[in-house]
Amino acid sequence: MKALLLRDLRLAIRAGGGFGLSLAFFLIVVVLVPFGVGPESDILSRIGPGILWVAALLATLLSLDRQFALDHEDGALPLIATSPLPLEAVALAKALAHWLTTGLPLTLAAAPLGVLLNLDPAAYPWIVLTLGLGTPALSVIGTFGAALTVGIRRGGLLLSLLVLPLYVPTLIFGAEAARRGAQGLEVATPLLMLAGITAGSLALLPFAAGGVLRINLR
Amino acid sequence: MKALLLRDLRLAIRAGGGFGLSLAFFLIVVVLVPFGVGPESDILSRIGPGILWVAALLATLLSLDRQFALDHEDGALPLIATSPLPLEAVALAKALAHWLTTGLPLTLAAAPLGVLLNLDPAAYPWIVLTLGLGTPALSVIGTFGAALTVGIRRGGLLLSLLVLPLYVPTLIFGAEAARRGAQGLEVATPLLMLAGITAGSLALLPFAAGGVLRINLR
Amino acid sequence: MTLRVQGLAVARGGVPVLTDLGFTVDPGHALVLRGPNGAGKTTLLRVLAGLAPPLAGRIDLPPESAAYASHADGIKATLSVTENLRFWAALYGRPWADQVLDDFDLRTLKDRPAGTLSAGQSRRLGLARLGVIGRQVLLLDEPTVSLDAASVARFAAWLRERHLGRGGIAVIATHVPLGLDAPELDLAWFRADPAAVSHGTDAAFL
Amino acid sequence: MTLRVQGLAVARGGVPVLTDLGFTVDPGHALVLRGPNGAGKTTLLRVLAGLAPPLAGRIDLPPESAAYASHADGIKATLSVTENLRFWAALYGRPWADQVLDDFDLRTLKDRPAGTLSAGQSRRLGLARLGVIGRQVLLLDEPTVSLDAASVARFAAWLRERHLGRGGIAVIATHVPLGLDAPELDLAWFRADPAAVSHGTDAAFL
Amino acid sequence: MSIWEYANPKKFIATTTPVIPWAFGGAMLCLLVGLVWGFFLTPQADRFGSTVKIIYVHVPSAMMAINAWAMMLVASLIWLIRRHHVSALAAKAAAPVGMTMTLIALFTGAVWGQPMWGTWWAWDPRLTSFLILFLFYLGYIALWEAIPDPDQAADLTSVLCLVGSVFAILSRYAVLFWNQGLHQGATLSLDAKENISDVYWFPLLVCLAGFILLFVALVLMRTGTEIRVRRLRALERQAQRALA
Ligand code: HEM
Ligand SMILES: Nc1ncnc2c1ncn2[C@@H]1O[C@H](COP(=O)(O)OP(=O)(O)OP(=O)(O)O)[C@@H](O)[C@H]1O
Ligand SMILES: Nc1ncnc2c1ncn2[C@@H]1O[C@H](COP(=O)(O)OP(=O)(O)OP(=O)(O)O)[C@@H](O)[C@H]1O
Ligand SMILES: [Mg+2]
Ligand SMILES: [Mg+2]
C-alpha cells in the first residue's frame, strides 16, 4: 500500500497536476465569483464561507476522474488488481493520495483566499476547521464514485452526477458549521455531524469501492 | 471542415459526454450554491445572474481539455494535420463543435435553472442574451488554450490556469450586462463590448490556435 | 504446480468466442496459442488471468500465481525506467534486483523517463516487469510486438533459462515464432458457434 | 513523382539520431527501413511525413502527397468501422468506395464499433485508412504488428497491386519480413556521429 | 557590428558578466539612499501618517511589475521573428522577477490598505488588475515549466505572451468599467506635482531608479543562468553520445 501511495504522490508531483490543479481551480473560482456577482463587499462577506465550501467541493470533484482512469487507460489497473494488495487497500491508498494532493492543500489555502472575499476575521478558523474535517469525506466518497465509473470512457459527467448527491450532506453541515462559527452561534451539532460523516465514510466506503472495482475489472 | 465538425458532434453524442457533461456540471454548481450560501432568497436573487455566468464559464472550462487531447492520445491529430484541411480550419471546426455541444445548451438551460436561484423574471431574457453572445468567445478562447497545452499529458490544470485570465473580460462584461439588464439600467456599453470581444476572438484566435497546434505537432 | 484447464468456454462482449477448451501445462513448460486475428487469444488469456469470468469449465491455478502482460503495460511516462520497475517490485512485495536491467537490456536506459523510449524499448520495459514480480505462471499476449530480432532472442532466452528453467509456466499468444521449443495450440479448432445458445447471461432470457 | 532525400539529419527530443542519410525511391517502388530498436526508424518517418523538422538536409516530396501510419491510428472506439473510414475519406476530400472493405477483409466487421475489434482487426482498420485517403507516398511504421500471416500476405498484396502497381511509393519500417521485393536500408549505418557537434539547437550553446 | 550580435549566447554572457555587479551595486546604492531618505528624512503626511512611507516600495514594484511584462512581450516578439535564443531566455528569466514584483505590490498594497481603507482587500480596479496580472504571470511560468523541449516552450510561451497581452489590456478596461475605485490615480503623470509634493517625489524617484537597476541586474543574471543551463545540457548530451 505504501508503494502505491508513494507512486501516486510522485506521479501527482511530476505531472504538476496534483497539488496544483485543485489549488489553481480553487483560486480561479474564488476570483471569478466577485467578477460575476459584483464587488460589493457586504454581499461578498455574507456569501464568503459558502463560496469557499462550494469551490473546495468543485475542486475536489474535478480531480476525481483521474483517480482510476489513468491506471485503467494504460493498463496498470488489472496489473495492480492481480498483485497481492487487496482492492480495498488500493481504494484506501488512492483516497489518501487524493486527500493529500487535494483536500489538504485546499484546506490550507482557504484562509488566505478568504481575504479576497472580504471574510470576517472570526470566520477564518471555522473555515479551516470545517474544511479540514470535511475534505477527507469528500475524497473517500469521490473515490467510491470514481471506482463505480472506472470502465466508462469519459466517465467524468457520470461521476459528477453520481457523486454530487453524495456530497450534499457534507456540504450542508460543513458550510453551516462555518457560517455559524463565523457568526458566533452554536456549532456543536453540525460539527459533530460532519465528523460523523467523515468517520463513517472512512470506515465503510473503501470496502464498497474495492467491491465495485472488482466488478468493473471483470 | 464539415467532416470534422460532424465527426466531433457525433463523438460527443455517442460518448454522452458532450451535451451532458457541461450541462450536468452547470446544474451541479447552480444546485450547490444555495446549499453553500444558505437559502435566503433575497441574497440568492441578487447574486443569481453572476452565479449563472460563473457556472457557465466553469462548465465551459471543464470541457476544454477534451478539445484536442483525445485526438492527440489516439494519434488522430497528426493524421488530421497532414490532411488538406489547414490547421486554422481545424481549430475553428473544433471551437464550433465545442460551442454547439457546450455553449448553446448552457445558454438554453440557463433560464430554467434561474428558477433555482429565485431569479427576477426580468432577468431571464438578459441572461439568455448575454450567454448567447458571450459563450462563442469562451469556446474560441478555450480552443486556443487547449491547442497550447495539447502536448502536455494531464494538461487540465495548466489549461485552466492559462484560460482563466483570458476569460475575465468576457465574464465581466457578460455578467455586468446581465445584472444591469435585470435592474433596467443602461446595457448598451457592456453588450457592445461583449459582442466586440466575441467578434474579435472569432476573427483572430483560430489563427493563433492553428499556429500553436503546428508548433505542438512538431 | 500445474496449470490445468478443462471444458473451458469463454465469451467477449457477451458473444461466445471459444468452447470446450482443455489443456495442461506442467512446470517448466510453455504453451503457444495460435490462431488468426480475432480467434480469441486475448480473451482466453484474460480469463486465465482472472480478469474475466469463464462461461463454463474450470481452471486450476493457485491464487496469486499468475501474471498477465499485454500491449498496455501500465508504463508511466513520467517515471523513469527504474522507478517504473521498482514500483512493481514494491507492490508485489519482492526485493529489487538490478539483474533485471541486464536481462532485458535496459541498463543504458535506466534513468530515462519511460515516455521517451522507442516502441521496442518500452516493450522491453513492459516485459521486464515480469522479471521483477516473480510470478510462476506468465500469460503473455503478443509479447514480442515491435521487438527487433536480437531482443526477441534475448527474451526467449530469458524465458527459457530464468523462467521455465526454474519451474515456471508460460502461456503465450503470438503470431511470430519465438524460437521456443513448445507445443502449439490452434484456437481455430475451438471456435464457439456464435449462434449457439450461449451459456452466458443471455441464456436466462432465451 | 520521386521521393528524394539528401544529406538528411534527424533528431528526437533534441538528440541527433541519424545523420547523412540519402536515398531515392521511384514511383512504383518501396523501401524497407531496417535497424534494431531505437535505431531511429520512427523518427525518420515522422520527419519524412513533415511532423518534425529535419536538423539538416533536404527532402523532395510534393506537398500533400504523403500519409503516415503508426501504431496509433486515430481510431475512434465509439464510431463503427465504416464511420471511421468515411470520416477519413471526407476529410481528405475523397469519394467513398466500398472496395476498401474487401481489400482489408473488414466487410464482416463493417458495422461493429471500432472499440470492440481485436488487436489485429483494429490494425487492419488502421491500414484501411491508407486505402481510403489515396495518398501517393505511404510512410508506414511497423504496419503488420499484431497481424496474422494471412493478413500480412493480404496487406502485402494490396500494397503491391493497388498501391505500387499504380505508381505509388512506400517507405516501410518493419522488424518482420513482408514478402515485398524491395531494397532494404539499414539505419544502423547512419547513426549520428557521437563526436560531431550537433546541428540541433544545442549547437547555438556549444 | 549590429545589436543582434549580442544575441549570440557567448557574446551575451561575455558582455553582461562585467555589467551585472555594477547594476547590482547601483541598485543597492539607490535603494539604500532612497529608502533611508524616504523613511527617515521626510515629514509625515497629514492625511496618511507614517504609512505613506510604504509608497517607496509599493509604487516602484508596481511599475516594474508592468514593465517586466512589457519587456517579456518585446523579447517574445524578437524570438518569434528573429529566433534568437537569448531573447527567448530573457523573457523566461524576466517572468519570475515580474511575478515577484507583482506580489510585492499586492502585499504592500494590502498592508497599506488596512490602515487607509480599513480593509486588506477591495475589488478596486487597480488592485483587481494586479490580481489578474499575477494570474497571467502564473500561467506563463507554468507553461514554461510544463514543456520539456526548450524551443517548443519558447514558441508557445511567446504566443501566449502576445495573446495574453491583448487580453490583459482588455481586462484592464473591463475592470475599470466594472467598478469605481478607491485607489490613487497615476501620480507619475505630467501633472505629477499637483498630486504629490517634492519632498516625497525625489526619494521616490531614487527608489524607482533602484528598482529598475535591480530588475536589470536580476534579469541579466537569470538570463545568464538559463544560457548556462542550456549549455550544460548540450555538453551533457555530447558527452553521453560520445560514450554510446
Ligand atoms: C493590493 C493592493 C494594491 C495594489 C495591487 C496596488 C497597485 C498599485 C499600482 C499598480 C500602482 C501604480 C503604478 C503606476 O501606474 O504608476 C500603485 C500606485 C500607488 N498606490 Fe497602490 N496598490 C494597492 C494598494 C494601495 C493602497 C492601499 C494605497 C493607499 C491608500 C495605495 C496607494 C498608492 C499610491 C499613493 C500610488 C502612487 C500613485 C501612482 O503612482 O499611481 N495603493 N499601486
Ligand atoms: N466488445 C465486444 N463485442 C463483441 N465482440 C467482441 C468484443 N470484443 C472483442 N470481440 C470479438 O471477439 C473475438 C476475439 O477477440 P480477441 O481479442 O480475443 O482475439 P485475438 O485472438 O486476441 O485476436 P488478435 O490476434 O487480433 O489480437 C474477435 O472476433 C473480436 O472481434
Ligand atoms: N524524447 C526523447 N528524448 C530522448 N531520446 C529519445 C526521445 N524519444 C526517443 N528517443 C530516442 O531516440 C531513438 C530513436 O527512437 P525511434 O523511436 O526513432 O526508434 P525506432 O527505430 O523507431 O525503434 P523501435 O524499433 O523500437 O520502434 C531511441 O534510442 C530513443 O530512445
Ligand atoms: Mg489479441
Ligand atoms: Mg518505432
Side-chain angles (χ1 to χ4, degrees):
Chain A
M1 204 175 135
K2 208 181 107 210
L4 188 61
L5 181 64
L6 286 180
R7 184 196 70 150
D8 277 5
L9 291 179
R10 185 179 280 161
L11 282 174
I13 294 166
R14 288 280 162 88
F19 302 94
L21 171 63
S22 40
L23 266 187
F25 191 81
F26 193 43
L27 174 69
I28 288 175
V29 177
V30 172
V31 171
L32 284 184
V33 166
F35 288 138
V37 305
E40 295 85 8
S41 63
D42 56 323
I43 290 203
L44 283 180
S45 70
R46 271 184 73 186
I47 62 176
I51 295 292
L52 282 176
W53 252 94
V54 172
L57 193 147
L58 290 177
T60 314
L61 197 65
L62 293 175
S63 44
L64 284 178
D65 67 341
R66 277 127 216 225
Q67 277 291 76
F68 297 105
L70 284 179
D71 279 340
H72 188 257
E73 277 162 26
D74 66 13
L77 202 54
L79 304 180
I80 292 173
T82 46
S83 82
L85 195 65
L87 281 171
E88 286 72 20
V90 171
L92 194 61
K94 289 270 178 186
L96 195 56
H98 183 259
W99 185 73
L100 286 176
T101 55
T102 312
L104 186 62
L106 286 183
T107 307
L108 299 179
L113 287 186
V115 173
L116 295 179
L117 294 174
N118 290 90
L119 223 59
D120 189 352
Y124 290 104
W126 294 107
I127 286 284
V128 174
L129 177 67
T130 54
L131 280 178
L133 256 177
T135 45
L138 299 184
S139 287
V140 185
I141 298 172
T143 304
F144 169 66
L148 264 181
T149 53
V150 70
I152 301 164
R153 273 191 75 76
R154 309 276 118 216
L157 147 75
L158 199 59
L159 180 56
S160 320
L161 285 180
L162 292 177
V163 168
L164 163 77
L166 305 179
Y167 274 181
V168 168
T170 319
L171 173 66
I172 291 181
F173 290 118
E176 186 69 22
R179 234 170 330 132
R180 290 198 187 188
Q183 296 168 17
L185 303 175
E186 185 262 355
V187 291
T189 321
L191 266 190
L192 270 180
M193 291 301 296
L194 188 63
I197 291 175
T198 300
S201 320
L202 271 174
L204 298 178
L205 280 179
F207 292 94
V212 158
L213 272 182
R214 203 162 283 122
I215 295 170
N216 263 327
L217 281 177
R218 261 212 318 254
Chain B
M1 204 175 137
K2 209 182 103 209
L4 188 61
L5 181 64
L6 286 180
R7 183 196 69 151
D8 277 4
L9 291 179
R10 183 177 283 159
L11 283 174
I13 294 166
R14 290 278 162 87
F19 300 95
L21 171 63
S22 41
L23 266 186
F25 190 81
F26 192 44
L27 176 70
I28 288 176
V29 176
V30 173
V31 170
L32 285 184
V33 166
F35 285 124
V37 306
E40 296 85 5
S41 64
D42 57 323
I43 288 206
L44 279 182
S45 71
R46 269 184 77 187
I47 64 175
I51 294 292
L52 282 176
W53 251 94
V54 171
L57 193 147
L58 290 178
T60 313
L61 196 66
L62 294 176
S63 45
L64 284 178
D65 67 340
R66 278 128 216 225
Q67 279 288 77
F68 297 104
L70 286 179
D71 279 339
H72 187 256
E73 277 162 25
D74 67 12
L77 203 52
L79 304 180
I80 292 174
T82 47
S83 82
L85 195 65
L87 280 171
E88 286 72 19
V90 171
L92 194 60
K94 288 273 178 185
L96 196 56
H98 184 258
W99 184 73
L100 287 175
T101 55
T102 311
L104 187 61
L106 287 183
T107 306
L108 300 179
L113 287 186
V115 176
L116 296 178
L117 296 173
N118 285 88
L119 220 59
D120 187 355
Y124 289 105
W126 293 107
I127 286 283
V128 175
L129 177 67
T130 53
L131 279 178
L133 256 178
T135 44
L138 298 185
S139 287
V140 186
I141 298 171
T143 303
F144 167 70
L148 262 182
T149 53
V150 69
I152 301 162
R153 275 191 75 78
R154 305 281 120 212
L157 147 74
L158 198 60
L159 183 55
S160 324
L161 202 59
L162 296 180
V163 167
L164 161 78
L166 305 180
Y167 274 180
V168 167
T170 319
L171 171 64
I172 290 181
F173 287 120
E176 186 71 21
R179 230 173 333 135
R180 292 196 179 192
Q183 296 168 15
L185 303 175
E186 185 261 355
V187 291
T189 323
L191 269 189
L192 269 179
M193 290 300 299
L194 188 62
I197 290 175
T198 301
S201 313
L202 272 174
L204 299 178
L205 280 180
F207 292 94
V212 157
L213 273 181
R214 204 163 282 123
I215 295 168
N216 262 325
L217 282 175
R218 263 206 323 245
Chain C
M1 185 206 47
T2 302
L3 167 63
R4 201 172 278 118
V5 169
Q6 284 166 13
L8 192 69
V10 300
R12 178 94 174 244
V15 184
V17 175
L18 297 171
T19 184
D20 251 341
L21 196 67
F23 56 81
T24 305
V25 191
D26 288 319
H29 289 268
L31 175 71
V32 172
L33 301 178
R34 288 293 191 139
N37 291 139
K41 300 178 291 299
T42 302
T43 313
L44 174 60
L45 288 175
R46 286 178 52 87
V47 170
L48 291 180
L51 293 172
L55 281 183
R58 52 177 294 176
I59 302 168
D60 281 347
L61 192 66
E64 305 211 337
S65 64
Y68 171 66
S70 71
H71 316 282
D73 281 316
I75 293 173
K76 296 293 168 191
T78 48
L79 298 186
S80 77
V81 167
T82 322
E83 282 169 342
N84 266 294
L85 290 175
R86 273 178 181 275
F87 163 67
W88 291 114
L91 188 69
Y92 279 73
R94 306 273 306 178
W96 166 250
D98 242 18
Q99 171 69 31
V100 70
L101 293 177
D102 296 319
D103 285 350
F104 293 89
D105 194 15
L106 290 169
R107 189 162 289 281
T108 53
L109 303 171
K110 79 185 190 349
D111 295 321
R112 279 263 288 274
T116 69
L117 299 180
S118 82
Q121 289 162 346
S122 78
R123 192 82 195 111
R124 290 212 298 266
L125 171 55
L127 293 174
R129 182 180 64 89
L130 301 172
V132 145
I133 62 178
R135 285 278 161 108
Q136 283 294 300
V137 180
L138 300 186
L139 306 167
L140 309 177
D141 197 0
E142 307 192 46
T144 59
V145 155
S146 298
L147 290 186
D148 59 22
S151 305
V152 173
R154 181 188 288 267
F155 174 65
W158 175 84
L159 205 60
R160 230 179 355 246
E161 284 152 31
R162 306 208 144 251
H163 184 70
L164 303 179
R166 294 178 183 177
I169 287 179
V171 181
I172 310 167
T174 181
H175 292 296
V176 294
L178 281 180
L180 278 180
D181 177 29
E184 303 201 345
L185 187 73
D186 193 337
L187 292 187
W189 300 336
F190 300 94
R191 225 169 92 194
D193 177 5
V197 172
S198 76
H199 337 255
T201 49
D202 275 3
F205 296 91
L206 285 172
Chain D
M1 187 206 45
T2 303
L3 166 63
R4 203 172 277 118
V5 167
Q6 284 167 9
L8 191 69
V10 299
R12 179 96 175 241
V15 185
V17 174
L18 297 171
T19 183
D20 252 340
L21 195 69
F23 57 81
T24 306
V25 191
D26 288 319
H29 289 267
L31 175 71
V32 172
L33 301 179
R34 290 291 192 141
N37 290 139
K41 300 179 291 298
T42 302
T43 312
L44 174 59
L45 288 175
R46 287 177 52 86
V47 170
L48 291 180
L51 293 171
L55 282 182
R58 50 176 294 173
I59 301 168
D60 282 347
L61 193 66
E64 306 211 337
S65 64
Y68 171 67
S70 71
H71 317 281
D73 280 317
I75 293 172
K76 296 294 167 189
T78 48
L79 298 184
S80 76
V81 168
T82 321
E83 282 170 341
N84 266 294
L85 290 175
R86 273 177 181 276
F87 163 66
W88 291 113
L91 188 68
Y92 280 72
R94 306 274 307 179
W96 165 250
D98 242 18
Q99 171 68 33
V100 71
L101 293 177
D102 297 319
D103 286 350
F104 293 90
D105 195 16
L106 291 168
R107 190 163 290 281
T108 54
L109 303 170
K110 79 186 191 346
D111 294 322
R112 278 263 289 274
T116 68
L117 299 179
S118 81
Q121 289 163 345
S122 79
R123 192 81 194 114
R124 290 212 297 267
L125 171 55
L127 293 174
R129 182 180 64 90
L130 301 172
V132 145
I133 62 177
R135 285 276 163 109
Q136 284 294 300
V137 179
L138 300 186
L139 306 167
L140 309 178
D141 197 0
E142 308 193 45
T144 59
V145 154
S146 298
L147 291 185
D148 58 20
S151 304
V152 172
R154 182 187 287 268
F155 174 65
W158 176 85
L159 204 59
R160 231 178 355 245
E161 284 152 32
R162 306 207 143 254
H163 184 71
L164 302 179
R166 294 176 181 179
I169 287 178
V171 181
I172 310 166
T174 181
H175 291 295
V176 295
L178 282 180
L180 278 180
D181 175 29
E184 302 201 344
L185 187 72
D186 192 336
L187 291 187
W189 300 336
F190 299 96
R191 234 174 82 197
D193 182 3
V197 173
S198 80
H199 339 253
T201 50
D202 277 2
F205 293 89
L206 285 172
Chain E
M1 162 88 203
S2 93
I3 183 172
W4 299 118
E5 276 183 28
Y6 293 97
N8 175 311
K10 269 182 223 159
K11 174 105 181 171
F12 178 86
I13 289 207
T15 322
T16 56
T17 311
V19 175
I20 292 173
W22 288 101
F24 253 122
M28 288 307 140
L29 191 73
C30 285
L31 284 179
L32 197 72
V33 171
L35 290 179
V36 168
W37 186 357
F39 280 6
F40 301 110
L41 308 177
T42 54
Q44 303 211 339
D46 339 323
R47 218 152 44 83
F48 293 87
S50 61
T51 58
V52 74
K53 292 174 179 176
I54 294 182
I55 203 173
Y56 299 112
V57 181
H58 177 74
V59 173
S61 60
M63 293 190 73
M64 288 323 292
I66 296 166
N67 293 343
W69 186 272
M71 185 225 120
M72 281 157 53
L73 178 61
V74 173
S76 298
L77 276 172
I78 294 177
W79 161 252
L80 284 181
I81 296 166
R82 301 206 46 139
R83 304 202 77 75
H84 291 305
H85 290 278
V86 171
S87 90
L89 293 179
K92 182 183 185 186
V97 183
M99 190 176 76
T100 312
M101 296 287 181
T102 315
L103 265 181
I104 294 176
L106 279 172
F107 182 76
T108 51
V111 169
W112 201 356
Q114 174 58 20
M116 290 313 303
W117 308 330
T119 171
W120 298 98
W121 181 263
W123 290 92
D124 167 275
R126 184 88 59 104
L127 279 58
T128 308
S129 318
F130 256 60
L131 194 58
I132 298 172
L133 182 64
F134 179 69
L135 291 176
F136 271 108
Y137 273 120
L138 220 61
Y140 179 87
I141 294 171
L143 189 61
W144 262 110
E145 293 304 319
I147 303 166
D149 180 65
D151 282 3
Q152 199 179 15
D155 280 334
L156 295 176
T157 49
S158 298
V159 178
L160 177 69
C161 189
L162 288 186
V163 174
S165 301
V166 174
F167 278 87
I169 293 167
L170 261 178
S171 307
R172 178 81 184 106
Y173 285 102
V175 164
L176 271 180
F177 171 81
W178 172 66
N179 192 12
Q180 310 306 313
L182 302 157
H183 197 283
Q184 265 69 16
T187 322
L188 304 186
S189 56
L190 284 180
D191 54 353
K193 303 218 170 76
E194 291 178 12
N195 291 327
I196 189 169
S197 63
D198 288 354
V199 203
Y200 305 113
W201 178 234
F202 289 117
L204 183 59
L205 271 189
V206 178
C207 280
L208 201 59
F211 265 80
I212 292 173
L213 280 175
L214 184 66
F215 175 77
V216 169
L218 284 173
V219 169
L220 288 183
M221 201 171 74
R222 289 182 50 85
T223 310
T225 313
E226 295 288 349
I227 291 174
R228 289 190 178 94
V229 167
R230 285 290 295 275
R231 189 174 149 73
L232 198 67
R233 240 202 266 174
L235 287 171
E236 256 172 23
R237 286 216 192 101
Q238 211 178 25
Q240 240 174 31
R241 269 175 285 129
L243 276 181

